Amino acid sequence: MAQVAHDLSWITSSERDFLNRLCRLGTLYMKFHLIIERQDNVPTASNGHYWRALCDGLRHILADYLKELVALEEEIVANGKVALTHIVRTLEPYQTLFTTLHILFQDLERHKVHGCQILDVLHEHSNHGDPTCQSAVRELQFHCHQVFFRQLSSWLLHGLLVDQHAEFFIQAAGTTATGAATADAGGDSVDGANISTSTLKAIKQQTVRLKKDSRRQRQPRVLHSVSSKFLPSYIPNQLATKVQARPRICLGRVSQYCLVFSDIVVFAVL
């Protein structure tokens, strides 16, 4: 962490402590900014859609911090002089918040998590005693759950596995010799990061077209299985198996299980 130079004799010990606290915030902010910048500069295929959604949530959280800095700057310009203690007191809530986020991203990078594995790490950090920190982690959960539920709704409503980067808990396990054509056995692929309502309608039309094609031509059927490595801990294995085998029946139950652990999950269906 950055600190005030030790050879500044004209600074009192209390002022040095205050300035070091501000330096700590600046250092952590730069680390977060580098994480976001690194994600923006690499292809989605490198880290996947969940990491990109996570960084979008982090960017949204940091925006509030930047607003506080702008307000302090305007106050300093208007008054000409503002006490150091006032600046420290104004930014003090971000000390705990930035520390929590720093530990969270350290865990994510240390365990090299990918896809739905990010949801479990966020869930572990969501039970925080500080309401501000808890709200921030749930903000990150919200952004990642958007990707999760878009993938889930594509699978449950249309039988399409929208998972180009192997991030979802249902994954292709192989093929049978013959069978009806499926959406991921051949044909168009879908970018899971940009699935909107209009896109889902297009997916539905694509599914109908593929079913018509399958009547004329038999293709290998893609088999799917539940990947326990990517299954969020708050979704029971039994339910995940039912989702994989009989998707339409289990749509509401999966949504209910996720809402128990994250009351900010928004599940939009057609």
Side-chain angles (χ1 to χ4, degrees), residues 85-124:
T85 53
H86 173 67
I87 299 176
V88 173
R89 185 175 66 252
T90 301
L91 299 178
E92 188 63 25
Y94 292 95
Q95 293 287 351
T96 305
L97 174 60
F98 279 17
T99 299
T100 299
L101 293 176
H102 181 54
I103 295 173
L104 168 61
F105 276 87
Q106 279 185 323
D107 285 349
L108 290 168
E109 294 179 343
R110 180 170 60 253
H111 294 102
K112 298 180 180 179
V113 296
H114 178 70
C116 284
Q117 294 173 328
I118 294 177
L119 299 178
D120 261 344
V121 177
L122 292 176
H123 175 59
E124 293 174 1

Side-chain angles (χ1 to χ4, degrees), residues 144-156:
C144 290
H145 272 127
Q146 285 185 319
V147 178
F148 175 76
F149 279 117
R150 285 168 182 169
Q151 290 180 317
L152 186 62
S153 61
S154 296
W155 172 255
L156 294 177

Side-chain angles (χ1 to χ4, degrees), residues 34-235:
L34 288 175
I35 292 174
I36 295 173
E37 191 177 52
R38 184 169 63 246
Q39 180 61 46
D40 289 341
N41 292 332
V42 298
T44 303
S46 299
N47 291 330
H49 298 305
Y50 284 84
W51 263 105
R52 187 169 295 278
L54 187 69
C55 289
D56 287 341
L58 179 60
R59 184 184 288 110
H60 187 270
I61 294 171
L62 295 180
D64 292 334
Y65 173 71
L66 294 178
K67 290 179 182 177
E68 289 283 5
L69 293 183
V70 170
L72 283 172
E73 290 179 355
E74 292 175 348
E75 187 176 352
I76 294 173
V77 171
N79 299 331
K81 182 183 295 185
V82 174
L84 179 60
T85 53
H86 173 67
I87 299 176
V88 173
R89 185 175 66 252
T90 301
L91 299 178
E92 188 63 25
Y94 292 95
Q95 293 287 351
T96 305
L97 174 60
F98 279 17
T99 299
T100 299
L101 293 176
H102 181 54
I103 295 173
L104 168 61
F105 276 87
Q106 279 185 323
D107 285 349
L108 290 168
E109 294 179 343
R110 180 170 60 253
H111 294 102
K112 298 180 180 179
V113 296
H114 178 70
C116 284
Q117 294 173 328
I118 294 177
L119 299 178
D120 261 344
V121 177
L122 292 176
H123 175 59
E124 293 174 1
H125 287 263
S126 64
N127 297 321
H128 200 285
D130 188 298
T132 302
C133 296
Q134 187 179 61
S135 176
V137 176
R138 290 188 174 183
E139 177 76 23
L140 299 177
Q141 285 180 302
F142 169 77
H143 282 80
C144 290
H145 272 127
Q146 285 185 319
V147 178
F148 175 76
F149 279 117
R150 285 168 182 169
Q151 290 180 317
L152 186 62
S153 61
S154 296
W155 172 255
L156 294 177
L157 298 177
H158 309 292
L160 291 177
L161 181 60
V162 184
D163 189 24
Q164 294 176 327
H165 311 300
E167 301 176 281
F168 197 45
F169 72 88
I170 295 176
Q171 297 185 358
T175 59
T176 58
T178 60
T182 60
D184 43 1
D188 302 329
S189 62
V190 184
D191 188 347
N194 300 305
I195 303 177
S196 61
T197 301
S198 59
T199 307
L200 285 175
K201 291 180 179 178
I203 291 173
K204 189 174 182 178
Q205 295 174 354
Q206 175 188 336
T207 305
V208 173
R209 175 177 56 81
L210 287 169
K211 287 181 179 179
K212 291 181 179 178
D213 292 342
S214 67
R215 296 172 184 173
R216 297 189 298 267
Q217 179 180 4
R218 306 293 286 181
Q219 297 181 4
R221 180 186 296 276
V222 177
L223 302 178
H224 299 89
S225 63
V226 175
S227 174
S228 58
K229 182 173 66 172
F230 290 98
L231 179 64
S233 60
Y234 44 85
I235 298 181

